[in-house]
């Protein structure tokens, strides 16, 4: 691991560097050279995090046939990933406060890459379940640590759209996974193709090599970490001053991620089993969903700066719930409508995430920012993991399409959680 340069060796952009911070890419210019390298590292890490995650949902139908699994067992593969990710995310948050954002980020990337590759060698369902759980340790921590790294470089004026752009990398990784899925499953037999998919999860190792030399923590975060006596302390986020924030931020994360992972896990299966689409056909329909997701992240990032963190989440919680209900109740045979509705569905369920990076960073002070964000985001992910499993068990009697409606409940929980949280737009991080 590289040594972080002393705080005085790094500085935020000067007034002259920030002067030209308007326009479509003003937020990127305002980061300065070091901030842009941090942005590139976090963007790449989250894109590859997404790529490795989607190996499972895209291969789920084939895995079920290969290992003879029912819907509940396949849903459990996702659930165990998300539950263990809560542990990984919480630990990564503590590490980020204790050893630095960049070092913690590299550890998470290496972890999810190694165990994604290991999944490709699994001889049976039980081994795959264990490897997928261990993959969750790295998967859980990457986003929170990367988001904090960039948030501490971003100005208050642009923090929402900057972190929204980081979130958009999830759609980039999702698209890469869908392309790889289409290519691999078109060229190889199913029994080999799913293994090849997981083996390509080694790609993140290349990112770590670059990050080791080029990316560093923001100097203010380094200074605070070095003098703080409360850094990386779980007890600190449950003290009276932060207890309410931790509880409601955890509920917010639970609702949003419960709705999101319901869709991310089961839509590929829905398209193949209930819409009878081929591998290539499924990839084409996912293109609309992913394109909507990418634009949703960028739009949500812009709106979270214009409308505020809470209003942006409220707006897209409502729209996401409406889209789920519409998508799951499309009449049989109306596959063109499935294609068309995929775009607004992807747009809304992604735009709601755009404010998370900035919002959670602004809710916690620097000394425990990693701990607070890592804990709340990933606890929400773990509890939200109940949603995909519930859909899996309901799918046998309701059908996958009918069970997807359950995801709308998550967005209702998110909307209610906002009642206990303050607005933080324009807040300087300290």
């Amino acid at each position: 691991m590289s040594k972080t340069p002393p705080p005085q060796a790094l500085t935020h952009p000067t007034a002259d560097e920030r002067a030209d911070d308007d326009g479509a890419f003003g937020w990127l210019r305002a980061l300065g050279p070091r901030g842009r390298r941090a942005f590139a590292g976090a963007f790449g890490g989250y894109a590859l995090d997404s790529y490795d995650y989607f190996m499972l949902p895209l291969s789920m139908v084939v895995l079920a046939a290969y290992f003879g699994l029912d819907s509940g067992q396949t849903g459990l593969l996702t659930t165990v990933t998300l539950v263990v990710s809560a542990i990984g995310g919480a630990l990564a948050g503590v590490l980020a406060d204790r050893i630095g954002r960049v070092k913690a980020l590299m550890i998470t990337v290496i972890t999810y890459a190694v165990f994604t590759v290991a999944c490709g060698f699994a001889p049976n369902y039980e081994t795959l379940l264990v490897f997928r759980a261990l993959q969750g340790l790295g998967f859980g921590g990457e986003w929170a640590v990367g988001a904090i790294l960039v948030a501490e470089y971003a100005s208050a004026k642009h923090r929402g759209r900057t972190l929204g752009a980081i979130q958009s990398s999830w759609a980039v990784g999702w698209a890469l996974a869908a392309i790889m899925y289409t290519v691999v499953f078109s060229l190889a037999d199913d029994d080999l193709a799913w293994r090849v998919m997981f083996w390509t999860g080694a790609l993140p190792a290349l990112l770590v090599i670059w990050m080791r030399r080029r990316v560093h923590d923001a100097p203010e975060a380094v200074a605070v970490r070095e003098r703080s006596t409360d850094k990386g302390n779980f007890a600190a986020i449950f003290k009276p001053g932060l207890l309410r924030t931790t509880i409601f931020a955890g509920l917010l994360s639970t609702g949003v991620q419960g709705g999101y992972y319901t869709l991310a896990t089961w839509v590929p299966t829905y398209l193949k089993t209930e819409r009878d689409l081929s591998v290539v056909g499924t990839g084409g329909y996912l293109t609309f969903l992913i394109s909507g997701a990418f634009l949703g992240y960028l739009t949500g990032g812009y709106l979270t700066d214009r409308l505020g963190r809470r209003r942006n989440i409220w707006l897209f919680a409502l729209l996401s719930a409406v889209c789920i209900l519409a998508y799951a109740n499309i009449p049989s045979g109306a596959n063109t409508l499935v294609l068309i509705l995929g775009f607004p569905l992807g747009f809304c369920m992604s735009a709601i995430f755009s404010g998370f990076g900035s919002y959670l960073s602004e809710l916690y002070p620097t000394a425990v920012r990693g701990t607070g964000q890592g804990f709340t985001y990933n606890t929400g992910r773990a509890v939200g993991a109940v949603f995909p499993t519930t859909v899996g068990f309901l799918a046998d009697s309701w059908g996958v399409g009918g069970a997807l409606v359950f995801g709308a409940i998550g967005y209702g929980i998110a909307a209610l959680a906002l009642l206990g949280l303050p607005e933080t737009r324009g807040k300087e991080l300290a």
Side-chain angles (χ1 to χ4, degrees):
M1 298 293 182
S2 63
K3 295 183 178 180
T4 302
Q8 61 269 26
L10 294 174
T11 59
H12 277 302
T14 65
D16 289 338
E17 288 175 316
R18 288 184 182 272
D20 187 23
D21 66 350
D22 293 323
F25 294 98
W27 59 269
L28 187 60
R29 290 191 295 271
L31 286 170
R34 296 180 181 90
R36 287 193 287 272
R37 288 197 295 271
F39 177 90
F43 188 98
Y46 198 45
L48 292 169
D49 194 11
S50 169
Y51 178 86
D52 280 12
Y53 172 78
F54 279 104
M55 298 294 101
L56 177 63
L58 290 169
S59 304
M60 191 172 283
V61 173
V62 171
L63 287 170
Y66 186 87
F67 291 117
L69 310 178
D70 59 30
S71 296
Q73 288 173 308
T74 53
L76 185 60
L77 284 168
T78 295
T79 297
V80 74
T81 304
L82 301 180
V83 170
V84 176
S85 76
I87 300 172
L91 293 176
V94 171
L95 282 177
D97 287 336
R98 291 187 176 183
I99 68 173
R101 311 331 188 187
V102 175
K103 288 181 180 179
L105 183 61
M106 289 191 288
I107 289 171
T108 65
V109 172
I110 291 170
T111 301
Y112 73 65
V114 167
F115 288 108
T116 297
V117 172
C119 286
F121 293 98
N124 51 51
Y125 171 71
E126 291 74 19
T127 304
L128 178 62
L129 195 65
V130 171
F131 284 153
R132 190 65 183 178
L134 294 173
Q135 188 258 7
L137 288 174
F139 168 70
E142 195 286 333
W143 178 83
V145 178
I148 293 167
L149 171 67
V150 177
E152 291 173 340
Y153 274 107
S155 66
K157 177 181 178 181
H158 295 302
R159 191 172 296 119
R161 70 199 76 180
T162 303
L163 272 296
I166 292 291
Q167 290 278 177
S168 74
S169 67
W170 181 265
V172 173
W174 190 1
L176 289 174
I179 292 169
M180 186 64 72
Y181 162 80
T182 303
V183 172
V184 171
F185 277 84
S186 296
L187 297 177
D189 292 334
D190 287 356
D191 289 353
L192 174 62
W194 71 266
R195 294 187 184 276
V196 174
M197 284 285 287
F198 283 113
W199 292 337
T200 64
L203 292 173
L206 299 176
L207 176 69
V208 172
I209 295 173
W210 176 79
M211 287 180 60
R212 186 174 182 271
R213 294 183 177 274
R214 301 290 292 166
V215 182
H216 305 289
D217 289 5
E220 288 85 351
V222 174
V224 170
R225 187 175 70 246
E226 289 179 346
R227 66 173 181 262
S228 175
T229 59
D230 220 10
K231 60 187 178 183
N233 184 351
F234 279 121
I237 65 173
F238 289 98
K239 289 180 179 178
L242 290 174
L243 177 60
R244 179 187 176 91
T245 295
T246 298
I247 292 173
F248 282 99
L251 283 174
L252 174 65
S253 182
T254 295
V256 172
Q257 296 192 83
Y260 179 85
Y261 283 109
T262 294
L263 295 168
T265 301
W266 287 104
V267 163
T269 299
Y270 170 67
L271 293 175
K272 291 190 71 173
T273 61
E274 296 195 12
R275 293 293 168 178
D276 298 319
L277 297 178
S278 65
V279 167
V280 175
T282 298
Y285 277 66
L286 287 176
T287 298
F288 273 76
L289 187 67
I290 295 168
S291 297
F294 180 75
L295 292 177
Y297 285 127
L298 296 179
T299 303
Y302 174 78
L303 289 177
T304 199
D305 281 336
R306 292 299 298 270
L307 301 177
R309 300 356 180 183
R310 297 167 82 238
R311 287 182 180 177
N312 183 70
I313 294 173
W314 260 322
L315 172 63
F316 287 107
L318 173 62
L319 293 178
S320 295
V322 170
C323 284
I324 290 178
L325 295 174
Y327 195 77
N329 288 284
I330 296 172
S332 177
N335 281 355
T336 300
L337 190 56
V338 174
L339 180 71
I340 294 171
L341 282 180
F343 187 89
L345 178 66
F347 184 94
C348 293
M349 74 183 202
S350 299
I352 193 172
F353 269 107
S354 293
F356 261 57
S358 52
Y359 196 30
L360 294 182
S361 293
E362 291 159 354
L363 287 172
Y364 289 94
T366 299
V368 293
R369 184 167 294 125
T371 304
Q373 186 155 335
F375 178 84
T376 56
Y377 187 82
N378 288 287
T379 297
R381 179 183 273 168
V383 179
V386 172
F387 286 68
T389 300
T390 302
V391 170
F393 284 109
L394 291 176
D396 291 333
S397 57
W398 292 15
V400 176
L404 283 176
V405 174
F406 191 75
I409 296 174
Y411 292 112
I413 293 173
L416 291 174
L418 287 170
L419 298 175
L421 294 170
E423 177 57 58
T424 59
R425 180 177 56 168
K427 180 179 181 180
E428 295 290 346
L429 297 187

